[in-house]
Amino acid sequence: MRQLLPQPKDPIALDELFAWPPGPAVRLSLIGSLDGAATIAGRSGPLSSPADRAVFSYLRQSADAVIVGAATARAERYRQLESPKLLAIVSQRAELDPASGLFQGDNPPLIFAAGASASNASRLAAAGAEVILAKEEEIDLGWVVAELRSRGCQRITCEGGPTVASSMIRLGLIDEACLTLAPLFVGSAELRLLSSPLPTPVPAHIEAVGEEDGWLFLRAHLRT
């Protein structure tokens, strides 16, 4: 077992545990309770710890782009990422608030939408976002990844939520999952790590394990 070093923000420990595989890769960044809850009272923050926040920041900062669903971006009050990193928001109908922190700054997100109304798309475009409309009625997450690749993004981190995470695993788009396991039981009322069953179980190989203050940190290669 590999353990995180005593200082949760130690870059050496983070580099050891979460080194990116060679070449293009897509990672899934998750946090959950011992019974599989992804949130407490609708947010993931109460599950976190100082070491988890360091891991989350490392996974985000070491990526070229971040993918997140609109519901998670709203619930977790996302803001813009530092340029040149790209934030790609999957929003079926482009229902986002142009007055939110997502649109305050010089690096607005890319919005991937399908079935968006012209008014929603134009409002977000007026706020500075690039709205990319799918040709189909549903968003193909493989298309989202391909679009980011075309923009030079080799390392992509997906931050969920459960619906986006489920779809990306089902489509075989995830190379590695980085899971923080919080030492808590929450109960069944909260969102789960994945929102829907997979057609068949997806095997994974645990590449690294860390522990700090009772929180476990796993990096697993998915064999899709």
Side-chain angles (χ1 to χ4, degrees):
M1 175 182 292
R2 299 180 184 179
Q3 290 191 337
L4 284 175
L5 299 181
Q7 297 298 320
K9 295 183 180 180
D10 191 315
I12 297 175
L14 292 172
D15 281 334
E16 181 181 356
L17 278 167
F18 298 106
W20 283 82
V26 180
R27 278 182 163 173
L28 179 60
S29 176
L30 297 166
I31 185 170
S33 66
L34 291 176
D35 56 339
T39 59
I40 295 177
R43 300 191 67 187
S44 63
L47 292 167
S48 190
S49 69
D52 172 66
R53 288 188 285 275
V55 169
F56 178 85
S57 178
Y58 179 88
L59 294 176
R60 174 179 281 187
Q61 295 302 321
S62 61
D64 301 312
V66 170
I67 297 174
V68 68
T72 296
R74 287 190 295 264
E76 303 291 345
R77 300 167 191 167
Y78 270 52
R79 304 186 68 83
Q80 291 186 13
L81 303 184
E82 293 183 6
S83 182
K85 201 176 307 297
L86 296 179
L87 175 60
I89 300 180
V90 179
S91 179
Q92 185 72 20
R93 294 176 177 79
E95 294 175 335
L96 294 163
D97 181 3
S100 73
L102 286 169
F103 304 94
Q104 308 301 314
D106 300 323
N107 190 31
L110 304 177
I111 311 296
F112 289 86
S117 68
S119 60
N120 282 351
S122 62
R123 284 190 304 110
L124 299 185
E130 181 179 352
V131 181
I132 307 172
L133 298 177
K135 295 179 180 179
E136 294 78 20
E137 293 183 0
E138 297 290 331
I139 296 174
D140 177 356
L141 290 166
W143 163 66
V144 173
V145 171
E147 177 64 27
L148 293 174
R149 290 267 188 262
S150 74
R151 296 170 183 243
C153 299
Q154 297 298 297
R155 297 175 172 180
I156 299 172
T157 292
C158 174
E159 295 179 353
T163 299
V164 172
S166 298
S167 296
M168 292 194 73
I169 292 176
R170 185 172 60 251
L171 293 170
L173 298 173
I174 299 298
D175 299 297
E176 288 190 341
C178 299
L179 170 64
T180 295
L181 195 58
L184 301 167
F185 288 96
V186 174
S188 61
E190 295 291 333
L191 289 174
R192 316 313 289 170
L193 284 170
L194 299 181
S195 66
S196 59
L198 300 173
T200 58
V202 175
H205 181 267
I206 304 297
E207 301 284 351
V209 180
E211 182 276 340
E212 187 160 320
D213 296 330
W215 273 257
L216 290 179
F217 304 90
L218 308 176
R219 177 167 59 86
H221 177 77
L222 272 60
R223 295 172 173 170
T224 54

